[in-house]
Amino acid sequence: MIYMVNSFSSVQELSIFRTQFILVHSCKFRERIRCDFVFLQEKDSSEDYNVACILTLPSHQRKGYGKLLIEFSYELSKIEGKTGSPEKPLSDLGLLSYRSYWSQAVLEVLLAQTDPVSIQEISQLTSMTTEDVISTMQHLGLVKYYKGQNCLCLTPEIIESHTKSMAKRRVRIDPKHLRWTPIDWSKRGNW
């Protein structure tokens, strides 16, 4: 279960986080607090960023926490009913992590559909921006030009690769267990 702290009382000793535009999300697993990673989100992003910073401590890398935090940011965006993207520019490792997550998210939606689906619908289902959806499809080589129009082509190799990568994901966010109410920052008073 993930618990979040939407105030600065828990991080007053960390002067770097005293700015008003950062939310600090802390996690608690099996009734004890773990400090394996950090997730920071802007309170009111003019650029529609759904995450400002993700940090996984070196001793806990390669355990799926980075992708878990990316998934967490998109699940929060789904609750808010908006699309988002990470703050740019991404680091090299950040780009690899996001591309991996985006690929899995887009392919999950495409494989679950029985009817044709638009890029806008994929964007709404994943909370990814349309730009991120398009760049992911291009990165995966899904977009093909056929008889004068663009179409998506899912090959058996892409489906098999997706199935293998999803089998490796050990930790996932279950949206049914998220307890969070978005804050309407337009109604904020003087901080």
Side-chain angles (χ1 to χ4, degrees):
M1 190 162 277
I2 293 181
Y3 298 88
M4 299 187 313
V5 177
N6 285 334
S7 70
F8 300 101
S9 60
S10 62
V11 290
Q12 286 300 318
E13 63 277 2
L14 300 174
S15 60
I16 192 169
F17 297 121
R18 286 190 184 170
T19 57
Q20 290 185 7
F21 61 92
I22 299 288
L23 288 176
V24 177
H25 300 275
S26 63
C27 297
K28 185 177 178 181
F29 293 102
R30 296 189 186 109
E31 301 307 315
R32 63 184 189 139
I33 293 184
R34 300 283 308 232
C35 297
D36 300 342
F37 48 79
V38 176
F39 173 88
L40 301 174
Q41 182 184 33
E42 289 184 52
K43 285 183 177 180
D44 190 18
S45 173
S46 61
E47 304 286 332
D48 288 331
Y49 295 141
N50 63 353
V51 68
C53 177
I54 290 175
L55 168 73
T56 303
L57 298 176
S59 60
H60 298 285
Q61 291 177 353
R62 309 287 302 158
K63 295 180 181 178
Y65 290 143
K67 201 173 287 181
L68 178 78
L69 293 173
I70 292 169
E71 183 178 23
F72 180 60
S73 72
Y74 282 102
E75 290 300 332
L76 293 181
S77 293
K78 287 176 188 176
I79 292 171
E80 292 175 329
K82 64 180 189 177
T83 61
S85 190
E87 188 172 331
K88 311 284 192 313
L90 291 170
S91 67
D92 292 341
L93 290 176
L95 180 60
L96 287 173
S97 296
Y98 268 93
R99 274 199 181 145
S100 176
Y101 173 78
W102 289 335
S103 297
Q104 290 176 354
V106 167
L107 288 171
E108 261 184 326
V109 168
L110 290 175
L111 292 172
Q113 299 301 313
T114 55
D115 295 325
V117 62
S118 71
I119 290 173
Q120 186 64 34
E121 289 170 323
I122 295 170
S123 174
Q124 290 171 350
L125 290 169
T126 61
S127 284
M128 294 167 51
T129 62
T130 54
E131 294 82 9
D132 291 338
V133 171
I134 292 168
S135 71
T136 300
M137 290 178 172
Q138 290 171 336
H139 173 74
L140 290 170
L142 300 179
V143 181
K144 305 291 182 193
Y145 191 74
Y146 181 71
K147 293 188 179 181
Q149 56 183 321
N150 290 315
C151 60
L152 295 180
C153 180
L154 284 173
T155 64
E157 293 82 16
I158 291 173
I159 295 170
E160 182 181 344
S161 173
H162 170 70
T163 303
K164 286 181 182 177
S165 69
M166 291 306 288
K168 291 179 186 176
R169 282 192 65 186
R170 295 175 286 194
V171 282
R172 297 286 309 262
I173 297 291
D174 185 349
K176 294 181 290 191
H177 296 289
L178 279 179
R179 303 289 181 254
W180 184 68
T181 304
I183 299 170
D184 185 358
W185 297 109
S186 65
K187 296 178 182 176
R188 67 179 173 235
N190 293 331
W191 295 88

